[in-house]
Amino acid sequence: MATLSLRDMIFSDDFQPDRRHFHSVLQAWANSKHPQAARKAEECLRLMDKLSAKFDSCSPNEFSFNHVINTLVYSNLPGSIQRAETLLLEMQSRGIKPDEATYNSIMSNYAKSTSPEDFRRVEQLDQERRNRGLERTAITYTSLMSAHARNGGVEEMESLFQEMKGRYMNGDESVKPPYAAHVLRLQSYSKIGDADNATLALSEIIANSNQSGYLDRKPGTQEFTAVIEAWARSGRPEAIDKAEAGLRQMIKLSQQGRYKCHPNVFSFTAVLSAHGKSRAGLSADSGQRALAIFNQLKKLSEKDPKNKLLRPLFVTYSNVCLSLIRSKDETAAKTLQSLLNELRAKDKEFWVASGNVSYPVGSIVHELQMSKIGNKNELIQQFEQLLTATR
């Protein structure tokens, strides 16, 4: 509609277009999420070029290019980032200076990748912008943090976070660490199983989300779950106890209404993953502890059957199975058979939601082969048959 209205005005005898009109149209396309938004934005930019021969006020500037680059980057269409790079070169060749927004748009796209080439391009763009005298902004820092974290540079990520935070604490409001940077830091530590730093990162989010803090929102289910996942991945002897404590904390805080951190299937599965992965400190009751947590999730799901985020997935079941197999529980075989019966009764929606189950089934079969469970061969056969039936 914005494009149509502008076209009508352009061909009106008493109308003189300028950049403001085109920028309104470009912004409309950027916000539209239309599949053709990127192409339409480029067409609008070329129309500005065409009209600039008659109306100097229509000549594109850095804001015009930024609108188009931003639309391209967030379109996620094949070749969009290459088109954005082409426009960056065009800006430079025309003497239009790229600003923070120009670089941030392109860098943020490359920062989502684990490709070494894309990582190097992020660093090149950062150096290029600094050579132009442009300071790093909060968005720049977050993009760089993401690029380093995705490419194994967690220490570099932490250094960038501390640099940004230090500048903010020294009075530079332009680099106030955004919530996204805090969460990125938390999730990065969680993914490598650094439970201590993940816990610290969550503590800092909590501290900075209170009334005297600078964050505009409080942590929720995803952030609290990330710490439990960190413990599950840590392989430390206390992982099970810490994961269970994290789940209890979520339940308590959500019941108090202090945080919207109601545990979901991923929270419970993370705790069960700590049980399933642990080989340290397993006792006769370890399998039953995992089963109790699993049953707690099932009760919540039965109480709220429409809530898909409370429905156990196959990986939830598999971690209970692994914990039972590794424990010294004499009733493990009977419980495993009961779980198998439940799995056989699951509908297509369950298996679609669970995704590829080859790896977790393989882990269960391997652990059974190594176990001393009496009817393990029969159980192995049933799990293998279950895998075949899901393919």
Side-chain angles (χ1 to χ4, degrees):
M1 291 297 291
T3 306
L4 180 60
S5 300
L6 179 58
R7 187 181 294 116
D8 291 342
M9 289 189 289
I10 288 172
F11 290 104
S12 174
D13 293 334
D14 57 351
F15 176 71
Q16 183 171 330
D18 62 29
R19 295 185 195 93
R20 292 174 304 151
H21 302 108
F22 283 97
H23 289 174
S24 295
V25 175
L26 289 168
Q27 187 63 57
W29 280 117
N31 295 335
S32 70
K33 297 182 180 179
H34 191 282
Q36 296 296 319
R39 183 175 67 82
K40 292 292 186 181
E42 282 204 72
E43 288 178 359
C44 191
L45 183 69
R46 297 312 164 201
L47 181 57
M48 290 179 73
D49 272 332
K50 184 177 180 180
L51 289 174
S52 64
K54 182 178 180 181
F55 303 105
D56 185 61
S57 59
C58 287
S59 180
N61 61 12
E62 68 272 22
F63 301 110
S64 316
F65 277 90
N66 286 348
H67 279 304
V68 182
I69 288 173
N70 196 52
T71 307
L72 279 164
V73 166
Y74 288 99
S75 71
N76 291 321
L77 294 172
S80 58
I81 188 64
Q82 288 76 20
R83 285 294 307 144
E85 288 265 27
T86 300
L87 289 177
L88 173 62
L89 292 173
E90 183 181 337
M91 289 177 72
Q92 295 167 334
S93 67
R94 292 170 63 163
I96 301 172
K97 293 182 179 179
D99 60 13
E100 292 91 342
T102 318
Y103 285 105
N104 284 340
S105 289
I106 299 174
M107 288 174 66
S108 66
N109 185 281
Y110 282 124
K112 299 173 186 175
S113 170
T114 56
S115 161
E117 292 77 15
D118 290 347
F119 173 65
R120 283 193 291 271
R121 186 57 183 144
V122 171
E123 291 195 309
Q124 289 169 359
L125 288 166
D126 181 51
Q127 187 59 54
E128 184 178 314
R129 68 193 305 285
R130 296 177 79 179
N131 291 343
R132 290 180 174 276
L134 297 172
E135 287 281 350
R136 287 171 172 170
T137 66
I139 296 174
T140 315
Y141 278 112
T142 305
S143 293
L144 288 167
M145 286 173 62
S146 177
H148 280 285
R150 287 174 183 272
N151 287 272
V154 177
E155 289 184 7
E156 291 82 356
M157 176 213 66
E158 180 66 26
S159 178
L160 286 160
F161 180 81
Q162 295 301 333
E163 181 183 322
M164 171 172 56
K165 184 179 176 182
R167 284 179 57 190
Y168 173 68
M169 292 301 181
N170 287 327
D172 189 346
E173 287 285 335
S174 71
V175 290
K176 180 172 74 172
Y179 190 80
H182 279 274
V183 173
L184 171 62
R185 181 176 176 235
L186 166 59
Q187 291 178 337
S188 298
Y189 284 125
S190 176
K191 287 175 182 177
I192 63 171
D194 188 339
D196 291 331
N197 276 316
T199 302
L200 177 63
L202 177 60
S203 298
E204 289 190 25
I205 294 175
I206 292 172
N208 287 300
S209 64
N210 59 31
Q211 290 183 345
S212 60
Y214 60 80
L215 293 177
D216 57 1
R217 57 182 289 193
K218 291 183 176 183
T221 300
Q222 183 177 0
E223 290 76 25
F224 282 91
T225 299
V227 175
I228 298 176
E229 290 171 337
W231 281 112
R233 295 177 179 124
S234 71
R236 288 164 57 173
E238 69 271 34
I240 291 176
D241 290 335
K242 292 288 187 179
E244 288 187 1
L247 183 66
R248 290 194 296 270
Q249 180 190 34
M250 291 180 72
I251 294 170
K252 181 180 179 180
L253 292 175
S254 62
Q255 288 176 342
Q256 292 173 343
R258 294 170 60 188
Y259 297 91
K260 294 181 179 179
C261 57
H262 302 280
N264 59 23
V265 62
F266 302 107
S267 315
F268 280 92
T269 300
V271 179
L272 293 170
S273 178
H275 277 274
K277 291 178 179 178
S278 179
R279 292 184 181 275
L282 288 178
S283 60
D285 72 336
S286 58
Q288 290 302 315
R289 282 173 66 182
L291 188 62
I293 291 167
F294 177 67
N295 287 333
Q296 187 179 358
L297 172 61
K298 284 172 67 177
K299 286 181 181 179
L300 288 173
S301 181
E302 289 166 3
K303 189 181 294 185
D304 188 6
K306 292 184 178 180
N307 188 346
K308 293 183 178 180
L309 288 176
L310 287 176
R311 296 177 188 173
L313 301 167
F314 183 82
V315 67
T316 321
Y317 277 87
S318 69
N319 282 314
V320 181
C321 293
L322 289 171
S323 182
L324 285 164
I325 296 166
R326 290 172 183 163
S327 73
K328 298 179 177 64
D329 188 346
E330 294 180 357
T331 65
K334 183 178 179 180
T335 308
L336 286 168
Q337 186 62 62
S338 177
L339 292 171
L340 266 165
N341 293 340
E342 285 184 30
L343 287 167
R344 284 200 193 92
K346 293 296 182 182
D347 58 16
K348 183 178 179 180
E349 185 179 3
F350 170 85
W351 295 108
V352 170
S354 294
N356 190 335
V357 299
S358 299
Y359 180 78
V361 170
S363 297
I364 293 170
V365 169
H366 174 73
E367 289 298 328
L368 280 169
Q369 289 170 338
M370 303 291 289
S371 76
K372 296 181 180 180
I373 292 177
N375 64 335
K376 66 180 182 180
N377 290 332
E378 181 184 341
L379 290 168
I380 288 170
Q381 184 179 20
Q382 290 184 66
F383 273 109
E384 289 176 339
Q385 288 173 347
L386 185 69
L387 177 60
T388 302
T390 63
R391 286 174 175 168

